[in-house]
Structure formats: structure tokens, C-alpha cells
Amino acid sequence: METHYEILNVSENASHDQIKARFQQLILLHHPDRNGSSPNDKQAQRILEAWEVLRDPTRRKQYDAELSARQAAVSNGEVDLDDMIYDEDNQSFSLRCRCSGVYTITEDELEQGIDTVCCDNCSLQIHVLYDVLEEEEPIQSKS
């Protein structure tokens, strides 16, 4: 389920002005009167609902608390990348979930900074801990 922040495509620590500017852009883009889409199109309604919550400081604070509680409730903890099984063919790391599902993260995802993985069978997720190693420059010999 998308959060209000995802619907408006802003970060959770975006300022009120940033949220307002993004809302205005999106509502103009998706409003049925402006783009000729069907009045039954739900995107404009979702944008309005997100704005209604995030524009009010009290409602936003309550929403943030609910989001935080929801995220904490489904987390299955932190796992070190070294504790996961590496699949060379798929260039991915995996770990069995307690529900018998599998958490899988690829090298590409890790390189993109993605470090949270959902189980493929249930709603649990893990945070993968790893260190980014910088490639060393080759030592050039002096001639």
C-alpha cells in the first residue's frame, strides 16, 4: 500500500512548502477537468487525500506515528549480508524467512542503496547490513 508520501513523490521529511508544491503539480497533471480523463480516475482522489493529511501538522504527525508503528510491526530485524546465502548465477543474496518464504536482494539493488527486503511469502521485511567497499586505484610505478 502506497503511503501519502509515495503518492505525492516526496520524502517523509519534506517541508510543508515542498509537499504543497508537489501537490499542486500533481493535481494539475491528474485532475480530470485538466487532462480529459474519466471522473472515475482514482489518482486525483488519492493525491487530494494525501494532501489533506500532510498539509495539517497535527494530522501529519499522527500519520507519521502510524506509519512508524506499521513499519516496526512488520520488521523481522536486521541481518548481516555475510549471514545470507550468495547465488552467483543470479548475483543475489537470500535468507529463509520464519514463514518459509525467502528474502532476496541483488547486487544491483545493494549498489543502488536499497537495503530493505520483503519476504516473498509474507509481509515481513528485513534490513540488510553491509559495508560499501571503495575500489582502490591501482598504484602507478614511477619510471
Side-chain angles (χ1 to χ4, degrees):
M1 180 176 186
E2 276 186 306
T3 68
H4 292 324
Y5 296 103
E6 292 168 338
I7 291 168
L8 295 180
N9 196 23
V10 295
S11 72
E12 290 184 20
N13 47 357
S15 70
H16 179 270
D17 290 339
Q18 291 170 320
I19 294 171
K20 182 178 180 180
R22 189 65 182 144
F23 160 73
Q24 291 171 335
Q25 290 172 338
L26 289 173
I27 201 64
L28 286 174
L29 185 65
H30 293 282
H31 198 281
D33 292 342
R34 296 276 301 196
N35 66 13
S37 65
S38 165
N40 295 331
D41 186 2
K42 302 288 185 200
Q43 188 62 22
Q45 184 62 36
R46 294 172 61 219
I47 293 166
L48 284 168
E49 289 171 3
W51 170 241
E52 287 299 315
V53 171
L54 298 181
R55 76 178 188 166
D56 178 277
T58 305
R59 289 181 71 188
R60 181 177 178 183
K61 186 175 180 178
Q62 180 182 1
Y63 179 75
D64 288 346
E66 290 170 5
L67 266 183
S68 180
R70 200 176 339 154
Q71 290 169 347
V74 296
S75 177
N76 198 20
E78 297 177 332
V79 175
D80 195 294
L81 188 61
D82 293 336
D83 295 333
M84 299 180 79
I85 298 169
Y86 183 67
D87 179 348
E88 194 169 333
D89 293 335
N90 296 323
Q91 295 182 324
S92 65
F93 297 86
S94 62
L95 180 73
R96 280 264 175 227
C97 178
R98 64 183 180 207
C99 75
S100 298
V102 178
Y103 299 103
T104 304
I105 190 164
T106 65
E107 287 182 359
D108 288 339
E109 291 171 325
L110 292 168
E111 288 173 5
Q112 294 171 20
I114 298 170
D115 61 2
T116 301
V117 184
C118 293
C119 174
D120 66 358
N121 192 45
C122 71
S123 63
L124 292 176
Q125 62 184 6
I126 57 171
H127 179 77
V128 180
L129 305 173
Y130 63 99
D131 291 324
V132 177
L133 300 176
E134 299 293 327
E135 291 186 31
E136 293 182 19
E137 303 232 355
I139 299 172
Q140 298 180 2
S141 62
K142 296 180 182 179
S143 301

